[in-house]
Amino acid sequence: MSLADDLYRETILDHYHHPRNSGTIEHPTVRTEGVNPLCGDEITLYMTVDNDAISDIKLDAHGCSINMASGSMMSEAVKGQSLEHAQEVVRTFKEMMLGPSPDVFLPEELEDLEALQGVRKYPVRIKCALLPWNTLLEAIEKARAGSKIP
Ligand code: ZN
């Protein structure tokens, strides 16, 4: 175990034990659900959208440490951001997890996400890490579709 691995593990465990933005929103703009049957991870995502920006996001999640930590980091990364920027963050994260090289550029506010890079070594767990992000993408699409209705 290198020092970096230890730091990464600490970051993941911190988010797992103290998930950020955990809970529900009573009247969200959109609500989406995600399941990863392979592992038993389950997520319900609540999002409030104001002026094309994510003003609030909450996750009601039950799953493994990778899934919970990934969701917690995701919520921190996109809360307060525009839908467009959030989509860009999802793209960056997916590139890091699925692209040819994990060495993608992460701006300072996304540095925690680097802790999940190591999951690339365990293909089965990549689904755990991606579940919150795919659930977010669905929420963004739903919010966009909804906003077209006058
Ligand atoms: Zn899992």
Side-chain angles (χ1 to χ4, degrees), residues 16-126:
Y16 175 50
H17 291 303
H18 311 283
R20 324 297 199 257
N21 304 302
S22 169
T24 62
I25 297 174
E26 208 173 325
H27 301 290
T29 311
V30 285
R31 199 190 79 156
T32 51
E33 285 168 24
V35 206
N36 173 17
L38 282 176
C39 179
D41 305 317
E42 284 180 21
I43 282 191
T44 306
L45 183 153
Y46 302 82
M47 193 165 87
T48 307
V49 179
D50 286 314
N51 295 322
D52 285 331
I54 302 171
S55 57
D56 200 7
I57 180 166
K58 287 260 196 292
L59 293 176
D60 187 12
H62 306 276
C64 66
S65 57
I66 300 295
N67 175 250
M68 299 287 286
S70 183
S72 172
M73 292 178 197
M74 179 274 280
S75 71
E76 274 198 320
V78 303
K79 190 174 173 177
Q81 304 292 340
S82 67
L83 292 177
E84 200 179 328
H85 180 82
Q87 213 166 15
E88 188 59 28
V89 176
V90 177
R91 210 191 52 77
T92 304
F93 183 74
K94 285 191 161 187
E95 169 88 31
M96 183 181 87
M97 299 306 286
L98 302 168
S101 160
D103 297 322
V104 299
F105 171 74
L106 293 173
E108 209 181 321
E109 70 270 19
L110 299 181
E111 270 175 354
D112 268 11
L113 295 177
E114 213 180 302
L116 292 165
Q117 258 184 23
V119 176
R120 281 173 64 106
K121 283 182 275 184
Y122 311 97
V124 185
R125 309 305 295 279
I126 292 179

